[in-house]
Amino acid sequence: MKVFDAEAVRNGLPWPALVAALREMFVTGCESPPRPHYTIETADGPPATLLLMPAWRPGGPIGVKFVNVFPGNAARGLSAISAAYILSDGTTGAMLAQIDGGELTPRRTAAASVLAATFLARPDSATLTVFGTGNVAANLIEAYAALFPIEAVRVVGRDPERTRRFVQRFAHLPLCVEVGADPERAVAGADIVTAATLATAPIIPGAALSPGTHVDLVGGFRPDMREADDAVFERATFVAVDTREGALSEAGDLIQPLASGVLDMARIKVDLFELCRGTRAGRTDPAEITVFKSVGASLEDLAAASLLVQQNA
């Protein structure tokens, strides 16, 4: 069985190839049952979450990801997400690979967001605003910069010093990456606004969005988590999801405004399966505000893990 550490995952999954692999998986599909969530009480912090995410293709590879989400790790200076992925042969059941899930998860998550943005954001998008300073946020910056003509990035974080250190990580990129002054000014004029946080109260001010902005909501994966305020959905003409089943049962960003009447089901127009298969269209007006809400899907992990193993066969 091959073992892929974090560096091997980063080097083995270049952004264009990974986005293409995810698009192909959303076209062809696979068996991807709902993921069970288990709440884990902790001794000295907020509750943690254990996720199990299986996916397979008949006769093809079988994958399972084990994910621990510990929000209290932020205070420890540690990543909130720890994960491992096991890929098995679909014919014999033999274990093929053990993959660092802590790197696989943010990489495929960022790739899914950029895949959606190819349908929902303006192709000339040059200014990116990022809420969050974790590993997912870092991957989002790299992924968007790889597939869009991004020139400037504004980063909004809760801790000023952590945000400053995060921004310094991108000094090697031919981009202007800077600390966002405040949420309102950070989103004003942005072509794409993405959030990868564990927020339980809205942090994206919809009233400050400019016409034509694409909003990419990544972080919230429970009904009590939320990144976008009501104004985001009041102004958005187009709302898309990665998978309807997952997003509508897990995402507080959708569940809460649906419950309050701010959002209705008619405006949740499309999922990534329909976009990738060409059965539904994405953005049609350069001035409209679009929203993509992802909660992650095990088929994304399977696509990424399969690509990684194929390229290292």
Side-chain angles (χ1 to χ4, degrees):
M1 180 170 65
K2 293 185 177 181
V3 177
F4 295 89
D5 62 13
E7 183 178 3
V9 174
R10 285 192 297 271
N11 294 336
L13 293 175
W15 293 114
L18 180 55
V19 171
L22 262 63
R23 181 169 187 162
E24 191 273 337
M25 183 65 83
F26 274 102
V27 170
T28 60
C30 70
E31 297 296 324
S32 180
R35 62 189 182 191
H37 291 65
Y38 301 98
T39 299
I40 310 295
E41 296 299 329
T42 62
D44 58 353
T49 303
L50 168 63
L51 308 174
L52 301 177
M53 301 177 65
W56 64 90
R57 281 174 161 171
I62 304 165
V64 181
K65 188 169 71 174
F66 305 83
V67 186
N68 293 325
V69 184
F70 277 65
N73 278 357
R76 303 181 181 97
L78 301 173
S79 172
I81 299 174
S82 298
Y85 196 86
I86 302 295
L87 190 71
S88 305
D89 185 274
T91 300
T92 67
M95 302 293 179
L96 299 175
Q98 176 183 322
I99 301 169
D100 185 294
E103 193 62 38
L104 184 74
T105 300
R107 203 159 185 88
R108 65 79 158 152
T109 299
S113 283
V114 173
L115 173 60
T118 63
F119 300 100
L120 300 173
R122 301 194 320 275
D124 62 349
S125 295
T127 302
L128 172 69
T129 295
V130 179
F131 285 79
T133 56
N135 202 13
V136 177
N139 277 270
L140 284 163
I141 292 174
E142 293 181 0
Y144 274 112
L147 278 87
F148 282 84
I150 301 297
E151 298 175 354
V153 180
R154 307 163 184 165
V155 179
V156 181
R158 292 182 300 173
D159 183 296
E161 179 58 26
R162 179 182 173 93
T163 305
R164 185 188 64 79
R165 292 197 305 268
F166 178 81
V167 165
Q168 290 176 341
R169 293 169 55 181
F170 302 95
H172 66 287
L173 295 179
L175 307 171
C176 176
V177 183
E178 61 185 7
V179 176
D182 57 66
E184 286 75 17
R185 282 188 284 177
V187 304
D191 300 312
I192 299 172
V193 174
T194 185
T197 74
L198 297 175
T200 54
I203 55 177
I204 299 176
L209 295 172
S210 299
T213 300
H214 171 57
V215 180
D216 173 32
L217 304 174
V218 180
F221 58 89
R222 297 194 313 259
D224 66 321
M225 301 173 78
R226 189 167 178 187
E227 295 178 314
D229 68 8
D230 283 349
V232 171
F233 295 100
E234 290 169 346
R235 299 186 63 197
T237 58
F238 195 109
V239 179
V241 297
D242 51 355
T243 65
R244 291 181 185 275
E245 183 177 26
L248 294 176
S249 64
E250 300 177 14
D253 270 298
L254 300 182
I255 292 171
Q256 293 181 37
L258 282 169
S260 68
V262 169
L263 179 64
D264 59 72
M265 290 295 296
R267 284 197 291 135
I268 303 176
K269 296 184 178 181
V270 66
D271 61 31
L272 265 182
F273 293 101
E274 296 166 316
L275 288 172
C276 293
R277 293 169 181 172
T279 58
R280 301 286 294 275
R283 173 185 290 270
T284 58
D285 184 341
E288 69 181 326
I289 292 174
T290 58
V291 175
F292 175 65
K293 174 56 198 160
S294 66
V295 293
S298 56
L299 66 85
E300 298 165 7
D301 296 301
L302 183 63
S306 299
L307 175 64
L308 180 64
V309 172
Q310 288 167 8
Q311 295 197 147
N312 290 272

